[in-house]
Amino acid sequence: MKIMVAVKRVIDYAVKIRVKADKSGVETTNVKMAMNPFCEIALEEALRLREAGHAKEVLVVSMGGPQCADTLRTGLAMGADRAIHVSTTETLYPLAVAKLLCGLAESEKPNMVLLGKQAIDDDANQTGQMVAGLLKWPQGTFASKLSMEKGSSSVTVEREVDGGLESLKLQLPAVITADLRLNQPRYATLPNIMKAKKKPISQVTPEQLGVKISSDLEIVEVVEPAKRKAGVMVASVDELLDKLKNEAHVI
Amino acid sequence: MAPAKRAVDVLVRARLLTGGAWSQSRHYSGRKLVSQEEQLVSHRPLYNDQDRNMSSKSAPVESGLRCSLFESYMRHQVRRFAVSTKSSGNASAVKSSRFDKLKEPDVKFFKSAVGEKGVIMDKDELAVANIDWMHKYQGHSQILLRPQTTRQVSEILRYCNSRNLAVVPQGGNTGLVGGGVPVHDEVIMNLGALNKIISFDEVSGILVCESGCILENLDNYIGNKGFTMPLDLGAKGSCQIGGNVSTNAGGLRLLRYGSLHGNVLGLEVVLADGTVVDMLGTLIKDNTGYDMKQLFIGGEGTLGVVTKVSILVPAKLGSVNTAFLACEDYESCQNVLKEAKMQLGEILSAFEFIDRAALDMALTHLSGTRDPLPQSWKNFYLLIETTGSDEAHDKEKLHRFLESTMEKGFVADGVVAQGSTQADSFWQIREGISEAIGKAGAVYKYDFSLPPKYFYKIVEDLRGRLGSAAVVLGYGHLGDGNVHLNVSAPEYDNELLEKIEPYVFEWVAKHKGSVSAEHGIGFMKPHALHYSKSTEAIMLMEKFKSLLDPKGILNPYKVLPNASKSTPNPNAAAARTLEAAEVF
């Protein structure tokens, strides 16, 4: 079985985000970048499936400018077998990414597509679902546990939903998106980092995949959320009720 | 009551006359050691009898004067003078007769000086202020003052100086040698209310702030403008910059940014008599006269109280890489350090060392930690961090360094953090060792500076000496030559302590090391000062102390070995006896 894992390069989660002065976006120059944490978890799960003998190859893919190579090298250092970089300088929104992944799936023919449930920069939580829709494959999103029988063509996914945990059995090929508690990603060991340098990263363009990148979306403005106002001390219960009724309008 | 008093009186006199009789056996063996070692070590005497007497360990159980009355007396003394039996090697805690007790008019004055809110006499709040972070040293002060301006600090000190009231300047109370808490009932003056940031020049990178500012708050403030504080330590969420300056705090990034002696450009201090000395320069270069501020950096609050700090801060660079490496033996660690300095050069920002025992301690007692290298069980681990301005350049350098050290066989295995989460998990281990050891039971902590060759040898030697009695572990700032030697035992045990001290101090002195690399002397180590400083140097220190604080009201009983001695008084012996008898 071949597993394709899609990873995204985002601003490192620990960095304090600053909005650009012209409100067109956030500062990304000289800011530390890293692989999206949920993508790391997805890749870790793919590696574990390979180590358990359920998969033969783990393919890691990413799309964007030349810096994607960093993220792909990280993926290879963690243990992926090979990488594909879809190079484009266009702004990518979830639908475009989904179409590209669909194109890749058609040429690579993986049995499973693993993604992180969402990216920490846009929190869209759309790509995995769209890919499944485009490929017409079953989907198991917010996976907190994955299990497979040896030689089986189905996978059992335990999902975290509002009401608790839901168990689904999906027929492969399927799309699965990883949630936080699926696993704890491994560290990239030195020998693997050295080996990763020799692993191939193949380049493709959107045209080669037959995808035209266009978007109906346009970012109008990016602003910081309003600063939390300091609390107000009230002197009596009556004053509290008055404020709740007339100022906060909650009762 | 009277008969008991007399019996105890006899014992007290006996103690004073024999000059710390219970330490005599060790005292003698120590002198024997000196005569052998003196041939090897050139100049300074390793053992100063006079110092030893006044600062003998409060080790209640010692051969010789063993009788139930004596033991009960010692137990009482321990309780009364609040010297914890947990402590290792403190100065003697005899309360000096030159200080007066707190009286009602004093409280009135303080209230008028700092306001009602600035005077705290609440039992619970005092309980917190009277005990140090490790719960090892506890005083019983009855009053906590929180001045809000330099002028108030000056008024308080002037008053206390005139009234012979001892004062303990207190910051975040995160020190590890009992320097920030009272020994007896000294007035606690907490600088936490002096927490304004006065100015920050973004071009020169010079920050001017009051001494009560918390280090992490300062780091966040300047972090927003693209700068970072030149020091980083585990206590950053609570420690105050005034305390950092007064203890010349080191930390994890000293290797890269240097010590506070270099980064602090100016200070405003208040002397014991209330004089405000403005040395708050904001110039990187200023060779006008003697650089007096250096005395107060590391002065541990015994020469003056720091009220404002002017500090040069470096730019906060975006590219940070962290690696966790495993080495076969200690010599490889030294080789890695050498290679790191040459190959990583200007981007090297931290080089920490953790031995197997310390790593196990952290993994066992800290929740949420996991072994970065479960597949390689080695005895020595290194945490290396690089900080630079260009991600690609730094990663390239780091990878080349790692490749070459692996090829040369210095590094057996390692991992590189792939993002902040992983980097934080490495630091969680390193920064959490102290906490983990605390959870494991009793701990004897030491902080030594040694030449790189001997950095780990002391751990091995002590381990051999203690055998199965305790777990000896070593970790620390290998890049600075600073080893944190810790001995973990199920419980505090004076027999064990006997085997550790003065063995470790003598070991360090023999190799011309420092008995306190970064933690300072505080209340814990005045008796050990002579192991790393010559008699003449200590004499100079005492001269400065008597010059700047003639009445000795600032942080008494600390730093200097003679700090617990009363001022010369012909009736001194009688006075001491009387005062000890007053206890009962």
Side-chain angles (χ1 to χ4, degrees), chain B residues 191-245:
Chain B
L191 280 302
L194 270 85
N195 58 2
K196 280 185 268 306
I197 295 177
I198 298 169
S199 73
F200 180 57
D201 183 327
E202 289 186 40
V203 175
S204 60
I206 295 176
L207 170 70
V208 182
C209 61
E210 292 186 319
S211 57
C213 293
I214 293 176
L215 184 62
E216 192 164 41
N217 291 349
L218 290 174
D219 202 37
N220 288 338
Y221 176 82
I222 59 176
N224 282 334
K225 304 179 196 283
F227 289 84
T228 183
M229 291 302 281
L231 74 163
D232 185 15
L233 45 157
K236 59 184 161 235
S238 312
C239 65
Q240 295 169 12
I241 190 71
N244 292 141
V245 167

Side-chain angles (χ1 to χ4, degrees), chain A residues 180-218:
Chain A
L180 191 63
R181 278 160 280 276
L182 181 57
N183 60 47
Q184 206 176 18
R186 64 191 59 186
Y187 296 110
T189 61
L190 285 184
N192 283 346
I193 294 176
M194 302 307 156
K195 268 191 259 169
K197 292 198 176 161
K198 304 190 187 70
K199 290 184 193 166
I201 299 184
S202 33
Q203 304 269 343
V204 287
T205 61
E207 292 73 41
Q208 284 171 310
L209 294 171
V211 174
K212 186 160 181 318
I213 297 178
S214 65
S215 180
D216 298 334
L217 296 174
E218 180 203 327

Side-chain angles (χ1 to χ4, degrees), chain B residues 122-275:
Chain B
D122 173 70
K123 220 162 36 96
D124 296 320
E125 286 193 66
L126 276 173
V128 172
N130 264 309
I131 196 165
D132 80 316
W133 181 78
M134 290 195 300
H135 292 265
K136 212 174 158 194
Y137 303 102
Q138 184 175 36
H140 44 271
S141 171
Q142 293 157 318
I143 190 167
L144 167 64
L145 302 175
R146 285 181 61 93
Q148 301 103 49
T149 65
T150 303
R151 165 177 277 259
Q152 288 176 3
V153 173
S154 166
E155 277 174 30
I156 293 172
L157 287 177
R158 189 178 322 126
Y159 181 80
C160 290
N161 196 38
S162 67
R163 280 276 299 118
N164 293 334
L165 291 170
V167 177
V168 172
Q170 187 180 78
N173 196 4
T174 56
L176 298 172
V177 289
V181 290
V183 179
H184 298 293
D185 58 356
E186 300 92 275
V187 171
I188 306 175
M189 182 168 66
N190 191 299
L191 280 302
L194 270 85
N195 58 2
K196 280 185 268 306
I197 295 177
I198 298 169
S199 73
F200 180 57
D201 183 327
E202 289 186 40
V203 175
S204 60
I206 295 176
L207 170 70
V208 182
C209 61
E210 292 186 319
S211 57
C213 293
I214 293 176
L215 184 62
E216 192 164 41
N217 291 349
L218 290 174
D219 202 37
N220 288 338
Y221 176 82
I222 59 176
N224 282 334
K225 304 179 196 283
F227 289 84
T228 183
M229 291 302 281
L231 74 163
D232 185 15
L233 45 157
K236 59 184 161 235
S238 312
C239 65
Q240 295 169 12
I241 190 71
N244 292 141
V245 167
S246 298
T247 53
N248 190 25
L252 303 160
R253 306 259 149 59
L254 190 130
L255 180 72
R256 170 67 172 261
Y257 300 123
S259 95
L260 283 174
H261 280 292
N263 291 311
V264 170
L265 301 179
L267 291 178
E268 181 194 72
V269 302
V270 182
L271 300 178
D273 63 0
T275 313

Side-chain angles (χ1 to χ4, degrees), chain B residues 255-511:
Chain B
L255 180 72
R256 170 67 172 261
Y257 300 123
S259 95
L260 283 174
H261 280 292
N263 291 311
V264 170
L265 301 179
L267 291 178
E268 181 194 72
V269 302
V270 182
L271 300 178
D273 63 0
T275 313
V276 177
V277 184
D278 179 2
M279 302 175 287
L280 198 60
T282 53
L283 305 166
I284 297 170
K285 299 170 86 169
D286 183 12
N287 283 349
T288 50
Y290 308 147
D291 194 8
M292 298 311 294
K293 67 174 188 292
Q294 296 298 341
L295 273 179
F296 302 95
I297 302 174
E300 301 191 43
T302 56
L303 295 176
V305 176
V306 176
T307 47
K308 292 198 180 75
V309 178
S310 150
I311 186 167
L312 180 64
V313 299
K316 187 178 185 136
L317 302 173
S319 158
V320 178
N321 288 297
T322 323
F324 199 88
L325 310 173
C327 297
E328 289 285 358
D329 50 33
Y330 178 64
E331 185 160 338
S332 305
C333 295
Q334 291 183 79
N335 285 323
V336 175
L337 176 59
K338 209 165 115 189
E339 293 289 317
K341 285 190 176 160
M342 282 199 287
Q343 295 189 36
L344 295 174
E346 74 281 6
I347 62 170
L348 184 63
S349 60
F351 197 99
E352 297 291 307
F353 168 87
I354 304 170
D355 77 355
R356 183 76 231 175
L359 182 63
D360 284 339
M361 188 72 73
L363 294 173
T364 316
H365 296 279
L366 292 174
S367 60
T369 47
R370 56 174 174 141
D371 191 341
L373 291 162
Q375 69 279 11
S376 306
W377 202 100
K378 297 280 176 237
N379 280 319
F380 302 97
Y381 295 90
L382 297 170
L383 210 184
I384 300 181
E385 184 194 73
T386 66
T387 308
S389 49
D390 186 338
E391 185 88 43
H393 162 265
D394 289 357
K395 269 209 156 73
E396 184 54 47
K397 255 173 127 139
L398 182 64
H399 285 190
R400 256 185 289 137
F401 159 73
L402 292 172
E403 235 181 81
S404 95
T405 46
M406 272 199 88
E407 271 168 32
K408 293 183 185 169
F410 299 146
V411 170
D413 199 359
V415 289
V416 177
Q418 296 304 313
S420 320
T421 334
Q422 292 190 348
D424 286 346
S425 70
F426 297 161
W427 282 111
Q428 191 193 10
I429 294 175
R430 166 62 186 87
E431 289 184 297
I433 296 175
S434 211
E435 188 194 322
I437 301 176
K439 290 188 181 164
V443 54
Y444 295 97
K445 259 188 200 306
Y446 299 95
D447 163 46
F448 300 136
S449 262
L450 286 166
K453 223 176 358 166
Y454 302 114
F455 182 94
Y456 198 66
K457 187 125 197 339
I458 189 173
V459 179
E460 290 171 336
D461 283 357
L462 188 62
R463 201 174 270 155
R465 183 180 165 88
L466 297 182
S468 55
V471 175
V472 180
L473 38 89
Y475 61 98
H477 317 286
L478 181 51
D480 308 329
N482 176 195
V483 60
H484 290 308
L485 171 69
N486 280 242
V487 179
S488 173
E491 50 189 29
Y492 289 102
D493 174 11
N494 284 307
E495 257 182 61
L496 179 62
L497 184 53
E498 294 282 299
K499 284 197 177 160
I500 304 174
E501 289 186 30
Y503 173 77
V504 290
F505 294 138
E506 286 164 359
W507 201 106
V508 169
K510 189 164 73 172
H511 296 96

Side-chain angles (χ1 to χ4, degrees), chain A residues 19-20 22-25 93 216-223:
Chain A
V19 177
K20 278 201 257 207
D22 60 0
K23 297 195 190 167
S24 62
Y93 290 105
D216 298 334
L217 296 174
E218 180 203 327
I219 291 187
V220 174
E221 174 185 71
V222 175
V223 290

